[in-house]
């Protein structure tokens, strides 16, 4: 809502890319949660969670009901570039003239003292804003000065974010419960007397691990201080010892898994305490949720509730069991809609041919995330080849192969840069970082984050960082943009 289909006025350039952020005002957040509560649905934790969940919705009608708004603050591509004004504040005025939602309140300052006063003023006002705010962004006003300052490896040099101290609230710790993750890690959770924090009601907060509880001497019955880490995840940050009730005892971390009652232990110098039972029901549920998620093989319809039923009945104890499920069995689990069962079975069948890297990622192998899964898929090309190279994965992978899992294999690296590893640093004259990565990948090359002895080329632009010095010490070839273009053009 609020975004016009056509820009007003006669000053619009031929082509322009306008950048902004989607958010949900507090009023819309309250309305949506009230409707969900009346319908018996799960409430959203905060406006950011509502916005993030809404933009992933495929139902346009549902998205339209969520109260999303847009605020515009910047420009990407623009042709001709001379059509833009010369300063950030003029750009906001231009947006408003075009009928676009722009930043409503900004401060123009000169010098450190004025800057500090503006930040303090913003901090005082932010509780009156209709939307959640966790900080202020300080920018050079002049676009010419922005261009002169340039961009670093991860962020522009002409802007910096100031984060306000997170809001804190005091409440009573009613209990400490334990959650078991898919790798067996036991995570303590604080069960709290509900308290309002940063516009939402908080009743649970993370306690991180056993050592954090001991270090902060957190005890059931204490009055604890809670804040939102990064303004999102509630965490217990301290204890009001003056209000500790008589007889409160130090918390004793469990020696057995609360789900399967097997002994737990920390190993290898880890802080984390783990349940070593691979068949633990909690671990099973989390592993299936991970495997079926959109980030992995994406089995639509296999959500937490269905997985809970499958694990409870004992029908799934390993990932391969998903592919042994039968239509009649699923109908007995409350899935009395034949069409929904057929859709779930079809989704399970389709997952047999998911991308190889997604399957590897879904296996939950130690230290193998999405990036490592892509590397393994490119290197080995099949599950069987991965097992031959890493026999320790046999018991996890071969049952999947036996039930017909045949993932899509990656295309072999081709092009003039095949087998070459690049690292980028500094600002290139005409390519953005993303464009350079795309061109290197299209020619079969690989882009890494850091320089090491396996790096073939460092591509350096203006204002390079320490990577340039490191590359020279290792004797790695350093290219400018013109040199990269020559490589891309080939012999």
């Amino acid at each position: 809502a609020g975004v016009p289909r056509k820009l007003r006025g006669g000053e619009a350039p031929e082509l322009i890319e306008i950048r902004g952020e989607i958010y949900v005002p507090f009023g819309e957040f309250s309305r949506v949660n009230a409707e969900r509560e009346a319908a018996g649905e799960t409430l959203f934790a905060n406006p950011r969670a509502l916005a993030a969940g809404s933009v992933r919705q495929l139902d346009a009608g549902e998205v339209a009901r969520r109260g999303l708004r847009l605020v515009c603050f910047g420009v990407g591509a623009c042709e001709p570039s001379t059509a833009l004004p010369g300063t950030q504040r003029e750009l906001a005025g231009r947006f408003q003239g075009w009928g676009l939602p722009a930043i409503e309140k900004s401060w123009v300052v000169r010098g450190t003292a004025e800057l500090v006063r503006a930040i303090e003023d913003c901090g005082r006002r932010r509780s009156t804003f209709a939307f959640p705010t966790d900080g202020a962004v300080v920018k050079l006003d002049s676009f010419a000065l922005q261009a002169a300052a340039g961009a670093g490896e991860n962020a522009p040099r002409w802007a910096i974010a100031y984060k306000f101290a997170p809001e804190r609230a005091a409440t009573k710790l009613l209990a400490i419960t334990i959650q078991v993750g898919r790798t067996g890690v036991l995570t303590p959770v604080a069960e709290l007397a509900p308290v309002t924090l940063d516009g939402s009601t908080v009743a649970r907060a993370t306690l991180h691990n056993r050592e954090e509880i001991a270090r902060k001497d957190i005890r059931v019955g204490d009055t604890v201080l809670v804040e939102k880490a990064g303004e999102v995840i509630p965490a217990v940050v301290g204890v009001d010892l003056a209000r500790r009730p008589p007889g409160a005892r130090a918390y004793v971390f469990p020696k057995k898994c609360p789900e399967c009652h097997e002994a737990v232990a920390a190993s290898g110098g880890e802080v984390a305490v783990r349940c070593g039972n691979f068949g633990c029901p909690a671990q099973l549920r989390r592993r299936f949720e991970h495997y079926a998620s959109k980030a992995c093989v994406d089995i639509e319809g296999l959500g937490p509730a269905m997985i809970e039923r499958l694990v409870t009945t004992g029908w799934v104890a390993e990932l391969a069991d998903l592919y042994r499920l039968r239509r009649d069995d699923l109908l007995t689990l409350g899935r009395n809609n034949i069409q929904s069962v057929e859709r779930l079975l079809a989704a399970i069948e389709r997952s047999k041919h998911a991308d190889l890297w997604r399957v590897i990622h879904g296996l939950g192998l130690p230290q193998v995330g999405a990036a490592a899964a892509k590397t393994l898929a490119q290197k080995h090309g099949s599950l069987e080849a991965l097992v031959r190279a890493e026999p320790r994965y046999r018991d996890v992978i071969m049952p999947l192969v036996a039930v017909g899992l045949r993932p899509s294999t990656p295309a072999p690296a081709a092009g003039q840069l095949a087998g070459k590893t690049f690292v980028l640093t500094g600002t290139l004259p005409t390519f953005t970082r993303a464009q350079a990565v795309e061109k290197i990948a299209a020619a079969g090359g690989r882009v890494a984050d850091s320089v090491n002895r396996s790096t073939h080329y460092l591509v350096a632009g203006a204002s390079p960082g320490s990577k340039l010095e490191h590359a020279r010490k290792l004797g790695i070839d350093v290219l400018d943009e013109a040199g990269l273009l020559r490589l891309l053009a080939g012999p």
Side-chain angles (χ1 to χ4, degrees), residues 226-244:
V226 184
E227 71 177 35
K228 288 189 177 180
E231 302 269 329
V232 177
I233 303 171
V236 173
V237 295
V239 177
D240 186 348
L241 295 177
R243 299 169 68 180
R244 171 166 286 169

Side-chain angles (χ1 to χ4, degrees), residues 322-387:
L322 288 175
Y323 301 97
R324 301 185 181 105
L325 292 173
R326 297 178 301 176
R327 177 173 173 270
D328 291 343
D329 291 335
L330 292 175
L331 287 172
T332 67
L333 291 179
R335 286 262 176 164
N336 50 11
N337 185 328
I338 295 178
Q339 290 183 333
S340 68
V341 168
E342 295 292 355
R343 284 196 297 269
L344 174 57
L345 290 173
I348 292 173
E349 186 65 25
R350 282 195 302 273
S351 72
K352 288 182 177 180
H353 307 289
D355 292 339
L356 178 60
W357 77 266
R358 292 184 178 278
V359 174
I360 296 174
H361 184 207
L363 297 178
L365 304 174
Q367 309 302 318
V368 178
K374 291 177 181 178
T375 300
L376 290 172
Q378 191 70 50
K379 179 178 180 180
H380 299 291
S382 70
L383 291 175
E384 293 89 340
L386 175 58
V387 169

